[in-house]
Amino acid sequence: MSKRFYITTAIDYVNGQPHIGHAYEKIIADVIARSRRSLGQEVFFLTGLDEHGQKVQQAALAEKKNPQEYCDAIAADWLTFAKRLELTNDDFVRTTQPRHKEYVQSTLAKLQATGHFYKASYIGFYSAREETFLTEKDRRPDGTFDPSYGEVVELKEENYYFKLGEHQQWLIDYIEANPSFVQPDYRRNEVLGFLKNNKLEDLCISRPVARLNWGIPLPFDPEFVTYVWFDALVNYASVAHAHNELGLWPADVHVIGKDILKFHAVYWPIMLKAMGLPLPKQVLVHGWWQKDGARISKSTGNVVDPIAVINEWGLDAFRFYVLRELDIGPDGNWTDAGFRSRYQSELANGLGNLVNRSLSMLKRYRNGVVPAQSNELAADAAKASDETRALLKQNQLQSALQSIWGLVNRANQYVDQTAPFKLAKDPAQAQRLDEVLYNLAEACRVLAVLLWPFLPGTSTKIYAQLGLPGAPEKFDASSWGGLTAGHTIGEPAPLFPRKDV
Ligand code: MSP
């Protein structure tokens, strides 16, 4: 039996509310998870929260809460958010859970015992906001540090370091030998460029309790807590360990944003090597959303609130837009006008109109009873199905949607060409009308199957309107001819109400 397909997202910091960037990443992972299940694989989909570290400690302090209380309150919001997106995650990790903390500590103990760490004293600059040490190289030409680092202070402190440096050549060789390890290609090249042109510094994996106490204590030195990124990355393995019986590790795909590439494609593989674990098959890197051409920022109010969009337009319209508009890789730009335009043309006038007029005509002209099978659109449907299957296996979600819309457009064109409303007026054309109505209803059914990973609600509605039970969860059901003569469909209803804007 093939191994369960294990897919993860980045775990989000709990220092604020979810925005479109978080939603986008989780939807990518959900569509991949649903696709694999639809294609017959067993899947384990993990998402969750990154709860330790300075950012969270400060956010809790600002609300005068103790960090755990603060995290518990925000975690409830994020869980609600995951449900609102209809994510099919199999687990939800919080790095404050005992199962995770214990695994991090046993990992640290093992790496300490096998000589991967050393203690050293450091004098230099530190950005609390980014929780990172800075060097002279990080200064701008005018000698200052980038404002994104916030206040930068000079520190002298002892810490534990992980010997990253000695694995540099191994990692370069690994990435060169495994081109699919980091995708898309230009992200792999970015990692290779970084590794070939810089000496890899050892990684500081501790913070003194005196300065930061919201973290996992080092098992071998109570004066220190674990650096938040070491703690966070381990979530992928700690949860796999918690479900040991499923044999999840290694992960198949880590879905992440471009800003955290170095952590996932440099630090994490080296950590895994030291831990004696195989590397994940792929780090899949998506771009960043902007809004109206500017960076998303709470302080300037330039945000897209996913919940507000979903409340107004429906979840599937939101899922559709983010995946259809933006391929996995480049940066994207949200505009309200762009969103409305895709809603109107592709969802309401495209898919929605096709399903509604096809089923309404079948209802009106044939009392909702499916005529004998006819295969005029069978080749078009098979083409969309074959292409979609291949694209889903390569996580090419945007292209898969384009291919599916090839069938939507073909079927709408078929309505215009065959003009069933005219055929219905001529009793001599009854057989021709039967053929047309079968092709249209069956094309709608095939579309429901192909769309299931992307638009689960809509696809289930199409099935219900076709009078078919359950959800079209299995890709194999996309073979032509699923509707049988004599079957009575359900009630047609608009899928994407037109909005006058
Ligand atoms: N906690 C770390 C990740 C640890 S993973 C072991 C973190 N959290 S985050 O909340 O800042 O970001 C979570 C994810 O959201 C990241 O993959 C990040 O790239 C993504 N995004 C944050 N803003 C984004 C956009 N504007 N657009 C798209 N994705 C963005 O980093």
Side-chain angles (χ1 to χ4, degrees):
M1 205 186 75
S2 65
K3 182 189 151 306
R4 205 174 273 254
F5 185 87
Y6 179 29
I7 180 166
T8 68
T9 69
I11 50 173
D12 301 313
Y13 289 126
V14 290
N15 61 343
Q17 293 293 320
H19 63 56
I20 180 186
H22 306 118
Y24 173 58
E25 177 175 285
K26 277 55 192 176
I27 291 172
I28 291 175
D30 184 58
V31 173
I32 296 175
R34 286 177 188 261
S35 307
R36 301 296 168 138
R37 290 194 200 102
S38 175
L39 290 167
Q41 254 178 301
E42 282 198 282
V43 172
F44 193 92
F45 168 21
L46 175 67
T47 186
L49 297 172
D50 187 355
E51 302 192 355
H52 289 125
Q54 191 113 13
K55 281 183 207 245
V56 175
Q57 181 167 302
Q58 278 168 351
L61 204 70
E63 290 193 12
K64 299 195 168 53
K65 287 188 177 154
N66 88 39
Q68 189 64 59
E69 263 168 32
Y70 168 86
C71 289
D72 290 347
I74 300 234
D77 297 342
W78 284 77
L79 272 162
T80 307
F81 183 64
K83 295 229 156 56
R84 194 77 178 83
L85 297 178
E86 292 181 18
L87 303 185
T88 53
N89 53 301
D90 297 281
D91 200 338
F92 191 89
V93 62
R94 298 180 52 193
T95 53
T96 52
Q97 291 163 340
R99 62 173 182 176
H100 173 75
K101 293 197 274 191
E102 283 157 20
Y103 188 85
V104 169
Q105 290 193 318
S106 78
T107 301
L108 287 162
K110 219 193 288 172
L111 296 192
Q112 167 75 349
T114 43
H116 288 280
F117 299 151
Y118 61 92
K119 195 175 184 185
S121 175
Y122 169 90
I123 309 176
F125 301 98
Y126 184 74
S127 150
R129 184 189 293 171
E130 286 305 313
E131 233 172 312
T132 190
F133 295 100
L134 301 172
T135 65
E136 290 301 330
K137 273 196 296 191
D138 297 307
R139 285 189 195 275
R140 299 188 294 184
D142 69 357
T144 60
F145 292 103
D146 192 279
S148 66
Y149 289 119
E151 191 194 357
V152 174
V153 292
E154 214 176 343
L155 278 184
K156 174 175 193 298
E157 69 184 29
E158 292 216 287
N159 268 309
Y160 285 87
Y161 290 83
F162 175 35
K163 299 177 193 165
L164 279 190
E166 54 189 48
H167 305 283
Q168 183 158 1
Q169 190 55 45
W170 164 81
L171 185 57
I172 293 172
D173 295 343
Y174 185 86
I175 295 175
E176 287 193 323
N178 295 276
S180 58
F181 177 58
V182 181
Q183 280 296 312
D185 284 345
Y186 51 90
R187 296 294 176 207
R188 182 183 71 243
N189 293 337
E190 200 178 302
V191 177
L192 282 173
F194 168 79
L195 285 170
K196 288 178 176 175
N197 295 313
N198 296 280
K199 186 180 161 321
L200 200 52
E201 304 285 336
D202 290 340
L203 178 69
C204 178
I205 55 106
S206 67
R207 297 292 183 263
V209 179
R211 189 154 64 70
L212 171 74
N213 60 31
W214 186 235
I216 302 176
L218 292 190
F220 46 84
D221 192 336
E223 296 296 304
F224 295 87
V225 296
T226 312
Y227 169 46
V228 66
W229 268 102
F230 190 98
D231 163 353
L233 287 164
V234 169
N235 92 84
Y236 305 130
S238 70
V239 173
H241 178 78
H243 299 277
N244 220 352
E245 73 290 352
L246 299 178
L248 296 179
W249 200 260
D252 291 84
V253 185
H254 292 318
V255 181
I256 59 155
K258 63 175 186 177
D259 57 316
I260 56 176
L261 177 57
K262 187 163 130 185
F263 296 97
H264 286 80
V266 177
Y267 300 165
W268 182 226
I270 295 178
M271 285 165 64
L272 285 165
K273 178 174 183 249
M275 288 155 73
L277 289 177
L279 304 200
K281 305 246 172 53
Q282 184 166 89
V283 177
L284 182 59
V285 190
H286 63 76
W288 268 42
W289 282 92
Q290 296 194 324
K291 176 167 189 249
D292 299 328
R295 193 187 158 89
I296 288 177
S297 148
K298 252 189 292 179
S299 51
T300 62
N302 196 45
V303 291
V304 179
D305 175 1
I307 295 298
V309 177
I310 292 167
N311 286 343
E312 186 176 353
W313 300 86
L315 172 64
D316 282 358
F318 180 73
R319 290 174 63 111
F320 174 75
Y321 179 74
V322 290
L323 296 176
R324 176 61 188 80
E325 177 69 17
L326 187 57
D327 197 10
I328 300 175
D331 288 340
N333 186 32
W334 177 289
T335 63
D336 290 345
F339 177 86
R340 285 181 185 147
S341 149
R342 282 203 190 276
Y343 180 91
Q344 210 74 304
S345 63
E346 289 161 65
L347 293 177
N349 298 337
L351 178 65
N353 190 33
L354 172 70
V355 174
N356 199 241
R357 57 184 178 159
S358 300
L359 303 194
S360 299
M361 289 189 291
L362 182 54
K363 196 90 188 167
R364 197 172 324 130
Y365 305 140
R366 294 292 179 264
N367 239 333
V369 179
V370 175
Q373 180 169 342
S374 163
N375 302 330
E376 253 178 293
L377 291 179
D380 297 284
K383 176 170 176 280
S385 165
D386 293 346
E387 282 174 4
T388 303
R389 183 192 295 269
L391 290 163
L392 289 178
K393 284 187 187 157
Q394 299 164 45
N395 306 327
Q396 305 263 17
L397 308 185
Q398 185 192 45
S399 303
L401 283 174
Q402 281 164 326
S403 169
I404 296 169
W405 253 259
L407 180 58
V408 171
N409 296 336
R410 171 70 187 104
N412 268 325
Q413 180 197 49
Y414 179 80
V415 178
D416 299 338
Q417 286 168 346
T418 57
F421 26 87
K422 285 190 197 147
L423 297 175
K425 292 188 187 132
D426 179 359
Q429 297 282 4
Q431 169 151 9
R432 179 61 185 143
L433 181 59
D434 277 347
E435 287 167 10
V436 170
L437 293 174
Y438 183 90
N439 279 286
L440 287 174
E442 178 61 4
C444 292
R445 196 194 61 79
V446 171
L447 284 167
V449 177
L450 303 186
L451 282 169
W452 155 254
F454 298 91
L455 313 179
T458 302
S459 122
T460 308
K461 277 188 206 158
I462 298 174
Y463 249 43
Q465 294 184 19
L466 282 165
L468 298 170
E473 290 172 331
K474 291 291 167 230
F475 199 92
D476 284 344
S478 66
S479 321
W480 188 260
L483 280 176
T484 46
H487 167 80
T488 305
I489 64 164
E491 279 309 309
L495 295 168
F496 300 99
R498 283 205 186 73
K499 304 214 183 201
D500 294 318
V501 284

